[in-house]
Amino acid sequence: MLFIFLIGVKTDPSVVLKSGKRTLAIGVLGFFLPFALSGFTAFMLNQFLSLDYGVAKALPSLVAMQSMTAFPVIACFLAELEILNSEIGRLASASSLICDVCHWSIMSVKYVVHLATTKSLRTSFGSFFSMVLLVSFIVFGIRPAALWAIQRTPEGRPVKEIYISAAVVALLSCGFIAETIGLSAFLASFLLGLVIPDGPPLGATLVERLDCFVSVLLMPTFFTTSGLKMDVFAIKSLKNVGAIQSIVLVAFVGKLVGTTLPPLLLRMPIRDALSLGLIMNSKGIVELAMLNHWRMTDVMNEECFAAAIISVVVVTGVISPIVKLLYDPSRRFVAYKRRTILHNRHNEELRILACIHNEENIPATLSLLNASNPTKESPINLCILHLVKLVGRASSILVAHPPREKSSDGPTKSERIFGVFRNFEQKNQDSLVLHCYKGVSPYSTMHNDVCSLALEKRITFIIIPFHKQWKPWGRVETSHAFRQLNKNVLEKAPCSVGILIEHSSRQKYFRSNYVETSYYRVAVLFFGGADDREALAYAGRMSQRPIVLLTLIRFSSSMDIVGGTDRSKMLDGDILNDFRSKAQRYERVSYQEEEVTDASDVIKLLRCMENGYDLILVGRRHGESTLMQELRKCSESADLGTIGNILATADFRCGSLILVVQQQTKVWGLRDPEESTRLRRIKL
């Protein structure tokens, strides 16, 4: 009951109403096709085989169980495989809800027919009226109470203990009443969970308080007792087992066909469609609870119970590794063309995706965006993605966030963040277009939201905050979840990526109302390689802003500074020659060449830059060389590359902002993106 209640709390029932035609077709076919095929098979087996009475009595219940796709099971299965917020994950979640609606509709009809045929009119009416009364109490009594409790809880404040206790008491009471009037306590628990709004504050608090107790203590106990109740040696008749497994097989094939056919007709890749069909066939705790209930009420004998338990374990055990083998959501995050600032045409729209975790990320992001020089001739198409951890919900969401027609007295955190960027858009009319999105997902799969949105919106450059934040008095906050997110984005992004680092020694942020005498100092550290070229291309765009002072510091040595192919070194030379010619024409652009012999020279030069610039850009990856090997010993980790990690250390103060840039790493059909025949020089 507690587990089903928590799944109900995490579920957003409005998904059913918002379902598109594809989801509706998958959910309806995914239930009725296996239901019809397995029902027909059960009828034929009863007609032509002399089955035992216990098996014949259990077949209709087995048909219903095999035809259903329980949303709680699908949600747990997707979370375990870490594909909850992938395209297939969202489709499976929504389709399983539709499938559940179909299943419970059929079960309700069967329940009413059973009452009408086996009970007196007075008893039937009393049972039906009691059921309606209980549902009405849950929907029109408990839900308003939950909404009232949410309104009485200010944003960011903990939920009162009395509200949590009241929810648990309501759960136990509704379960008891449901069993008393002839309904299942599981159904009442799920319905009660559905009427409590998912997410913070109340839904998230209930999940936080009960989830550990349920998943760590009660669920292992439940699985253990289910296994102890099963007696393998109760299976004595191969004919009976064959009949049960025939129902399981026919229902499996029927559901596989019913759930893969609509996506295939809509041109989904066959691997993805097959993965969806297998996911929709997965079984779990809901099916085990149903089997235990039927065993306790003598709907099933020990032989049928053992055979059904084995089929559930085998099917789920086989499905999981096959889905892992077939479906990898990152496979589709590969662009068919170069999406880099270096390859962006002159005066072409620059598409930027800026990721925000909290309001502390806003000033640094705004400073970088303002320095990016949005103009009418070369506008910026900006997507803001507010990344939120999935808490108190079973399904991840990625939705557009349009502005409200009327301002709210108590705006949410997302609305406050988006409001700041909408003001920024108004100050840059005709040169910047803003789109706001909110992504709610687990940290482990949050990169799927970032990469899928970047692919869909044809983003050129992703800006994402560094996982460390410097606080006053030298305190540093580190988020390992954000660190893993950044790693995944760098590995799988379909475009160029910039990790934005903000040190505590802030000098000033770039604002759109700077006077002409106030300059914004930008430096590019150039060692060589594709990432350094991308950083220089971005800085070249910034240099077109009249109040930006751009300095290129090129590190040179008698030996190779970085390794790389001859083509890469040729491209380095081309972009440096272009920059040198520009430095001779414009006073605001300067070129410096620094000779270094070892790692200590590089670090000494970097320390000389402390507090000398407002923004420093550097590439993340550099080819292997003796100098880079020496420098790598001075860095703490490899997250930002050799130079990036040195600049990001707590005792380094090179400027208020540091941007570590990685050029697009994957292009369809090219092992090495530098082999592209479309490489050209950037106009600096």
Side-chain angles (χ1 to χ4, degrees):
M1 280 177 60
L2 284 168
F3 176 79
I4 298 298
F5 168 70
L6 288 179
I7 292 296
V9 170
K10 296 177 184 179
T11 305
D12 181 9
S14 64
V15 171
V16 177
L17 301 176
K18 299 174 184 176
S19 300
K21 294 180 180 178
R22 180 174 66 167
T23 304
L24 193 63
I26 294 170
V28 172
L29 276 178
F31 174 76
F32 284 105
L33 188 59
F35 186 75
L37 292 177
S38 58
F40 177 74
T41 303
F43 173 77
M44 296 299 291
L45 289 172
N46 274 324
Q47 290 293 318
F48 294 100
L49 291 178
S50 55
L51 297 175
D52 293 347
Y53 172 75
V55 176
K57 185 175 71 170
L59 286 185
S61 300
L62 195 62
V63 166
M65 188 194 77
Q66 292 298 326
S67 303
M68 71 180 292
T69 299
F71 173 77
V73 174
I74 298 301
C76 295
F77 188 75
L78 294 172
E80 185 182 337
L81 294 182
E82 297 187 347
I83 55 174
L84 191 63
N85 62 337
S86 64
E87 181 187 10
I88 296 298
R90 290 193 173 95
L91 192 57
S93 296
S95 301
S96 64
L97 275 175
I98 301 294
C99 200
D100 271 352
V101 170
C102 296
H103 173 261
W104 289 113
S105 300
I106 294 295
M107 292 301 104
S108 301
V109 172
K110 290 180 68 175
Y111 177 71
V112 171
V113 171
H114 173 73
L115 282 178
T117 54
T118 59
K119 305 291 183 181
S120 65
L121 182 62
R122 181 179 178 181
T123 305
S124 301
F125 181 77
S127 298
F128 182 75
F129 181 74
S130 301
M131 180 179 68
V132 172
L133 199 62
L134 177 62
V135 172
S136 301
F137 171 70
I138 292 174
V139 174
F140 300 108
I142 295 180
R143 179 169 175 80
L147 294 174
W148 177 82
I150 291 172
Q151 290 174 355
R152 295 288 299 272
T153 305
E155 185 182 5
R157 299 296 297 275
V159 178
K160 293 181 180 179
E161 292 291 335
I162 186 68
Y163 300 152
I164 304 299
S165 303
V168 176
V169 170
L171 167 66
L172 299 176
S173 302
C174 290
F176 175 75
I177 294 170
E179 288 288 341
T180 303
I181 64 175
L183 286 178
S184 170
F186 303 132
L187 183 60
S189 303
F190 187 65
L191 184 60
L192 180 62
L194 282 179
V195 301
I196 296 177
D198 61 330
L202 184 57
T205 305
L206 282 169
V207 172
E208 182 182 355
R209 295 291 181 85
L210 298 176
D211 196 41
C212 183
F213 174 66
V214 172
S215 59
V216 176
L217 179 63
L218 297 185
M219 281 184 63
T221 306
F222 173 74
F223 288 128
T224 303
T225 55
S226 297
L228 290 173
K229 289 176 185 176
M230 185 191 71
D231 183 10
V232 180
F233 299 102
I235 301 175
K236 297 177 180 178
S237 173
L238 292 179
K239 181 177 66 175
N240 293 337
V241 174
I244 292 172
Q245 298 306 324
S246 298
I247 299 294
V248 173
L249 180 61
V250 170
F252 182 90
V253 174
K255 189 175 287 290
L256 191 65
V257 173
T259 52
T260 57
L261 197 57
L264 286 175
L265 293 176
L266 294 172
R267 298 183 179 181
M268 178 183 281
I270 189 169
R271 288 168 65 103
D272 294 358
L274 187 59
S275 300
L276 175 64
L278 291 172
I279 291 170
M280 296 291 282
N281 266 300
S282 59
K283 306 297 179 187
I285 188 171
V286 174
E287 287 78 12
L288 285 178
M290 293 174 72
L291 290 172
N292 276 284
H293 178 71
W294 290 335
R295 179 69 191 91
M296 291 169 61
T297 54
D298 290 329
V299 174
M300 275 187 180
N301 58 27
E302 286 193 9
E303 186 176 28
C304 294
F305 178 75
I309 289 284
I310 291 172
S311 69
V312 167
V313 173
V314 170
V315 167
T316 305
V318 170
I319 284 175
S320 183
I322 295 177
V323 172
K324 287 181 180 179
L325 186 65
L326 285 177
Y327 186 64
D328 178 11
S330 64
R331 276 192 298 111
R332 65 189 189 93
F333 301 145
V334 180
Y336 288 86
K337 58 178 290 188
R338 296 310 305 269
R339 292 185 182 172
T340 70
I341 300 175
L342 184 64
H343 296 82
N344 222 42
R345 296 175 184 174
H346 183 56
N347 290 338
E348 184 182 3
E349 179 184 62
L350 178 62
R351 294 174 174 267
I352 295 178
L353 171 61
C355 301
I356 303 292
H357 294 299
N358 49 56
E359 291 170 283
E360 294 179 351
N361 303 143
I362 295 176
T365 305
L366 278 178
S367 177
L368 182 61
L369 291 172
N370 225 331
S372 301
N373 191 33
T375 62
K376 292 182 180 180
E377 294 76 22
S378 181
I380 290 179
N381 191 314
L382 175 62
C383 292
I384 298 295
L385 176 59
H386 182 206
L387 296 169
V388 182
K389 181 185 177 183
L390 181 72
V391 178
R393 290 187 173 97
S395 300
S396 61
I397 57 173
L398 177 61
V399 293
H401 203 286
R404 287 188 177 183
E405 295 181 1
K406 296 181 180 180
S407 59
S408 174
D409 294 334
T412 63
K413 185 177 180 180
S414 296
E415 289 172 341
R416 292 196 298 270
I417 290 173
F418 297 146
V420 174
F421 287 98
R422 288 195 175 100
N423 292 334
F424 178 67
E425 180 189 26
Q426 290 175 0
K427 293 178 182 178
N428 293 274
Q429 288 183 352
D430 302 326
S431 62
L432 186 139
V433 179
L434 178 67
H435 309 278
C436 297
Y437 295 88
K438 181 178 181 179
V440 182
S441 57
Y443 283 136
S444 58
T445 59
M446 199 172 275
H447 62 280
N448 287 334
D449 286 343
V450 179
C451 296
S452 60
L453 188 61
L455 189 69
E456 179 185 345
K457 299 300 178 183
R458 303 193 303 278
I459 297 298
T460 304
F461 192 66
I462 296 173
I463 301 170
I464 192 164
F466 189 45
H467 67 270
K468 289 183 180 179
Q469 284 190 338
W470 280 263
K471 302 292 182 180
W473 302 290
R475 189 165 54 92
V476 181
E477 286 186 0
T478 301
S479 171
H480 296 289
F482 292 168
R483 179 183 183 182
Q484 190 59 43
L485 167 65
N486 293 356
K487 274 184 168 182
N488 291 332
V489 171
L490 287 167
E491 180 184 348
K492 299 174 181 179
C495 58
S496 296
V497 181
I499 304 294
L500 186 58
I501 307 164
E502 178 188 3
H503 274 295
S504 59
S505 58
R506 301 177 184 173
Q507 293 179 2
K508 66 183 178 184
Y509 284 121
F510 194 110
R511 303 186 187 278
S512 57
N513 57 356
Y514 271 178
V515 294
E516 290 297 320
T517 55
S518 180
Y519 287 107
Y520 191 75
R521 299 160 299 173
V522 179
V524 180
L525 308 182
F526 195 95
F527 292 84
D531 293 351
D532 281 1
R533 294 195 296 272
E534 185 74 0
L536 183 54
Y538 194 15
R541 180 186 175 94
M542 295 179 184
S543 68
Q544 297 172 20
R545 189 116 190 181
I547 53 177
V548 170
L549 295 179
L550 175 61
T551 302
L552 171 63
I553 302 174
R554 196 271 175 101
F555 292 82
S556 62
S557 175
S558 56
M559 56 183 179
D560 284 342
I561 290 284
V562 296
T565 62
D566 292 338
R567 179 174 179 78
S568 180
K569 293 178 180 178
M570 180 194 72
L571 294 171
D572 289 344
D574 288 346
I575 198 170
L576 287 172
N577 290 335
D578 285 345
F579 188 89
R580 274 194 290 262
S581 64
K582 181 178 182 179
Q584 294 173 358
R585 297 194 305 267
Y586 301 102
E587 293 182 357
R588 293 181 295 102
V589 179
S590 61
Y591 175 88
Q592 297 179 16
E593 189 157 337
E594 301 289 349
E595 185 78 19
V596 294
T597 57
D598 54 21
S600 60
D601 289 347
V602 175
I603 294 176
K604 189 183 300 180
L605 283 170
L606 294 178
R607 290 197 178 277
C608 291
M609 298 167 59
E610 289 187 1
N611 300 320
Y613 298 94
D614 302 301
L615 173 65
I616 294 178
L617 294 92
V618 65
R620 176 174 177 263
R621 299 164 302 165
H622 298 97
E624 195 66 32
S625 66
T626 304
L627 179 64
M628 287 297 152
Q629 288 177 353
E630 293 178 7
L631 287 169
R632 198 171 292 119
K633 298 175 183 177
C634 306
S635 60
E636 297 176 355
S637 64
D639 296 346
L640 300 175
T642 306
I643 306 299
N645 279 312
I646 294 174
L647 295 176
T649 53
D651 60 339
F652 228 85
R653 297 291 182 269
C654 283
S656 61
L657 293 178
I658 299 168
L659 186 68
V660 180
V661 179
Q662 174 182 282
Q663 195 181 63
Q664 179 188 18
T665 58
K666 297 177 182 178
V667 183
W668 184 265
L670 293 177
R671 292 184 178 178
D672 182 3
E674 290 189 351
E675 295 176 358
S676 173
T677 57
R678 296 186 180 182
L679 283 170
R680 60 175 190 80
R681 298 177 184 178
I682 187 73
K683 184 176 180 181
L684 293 170

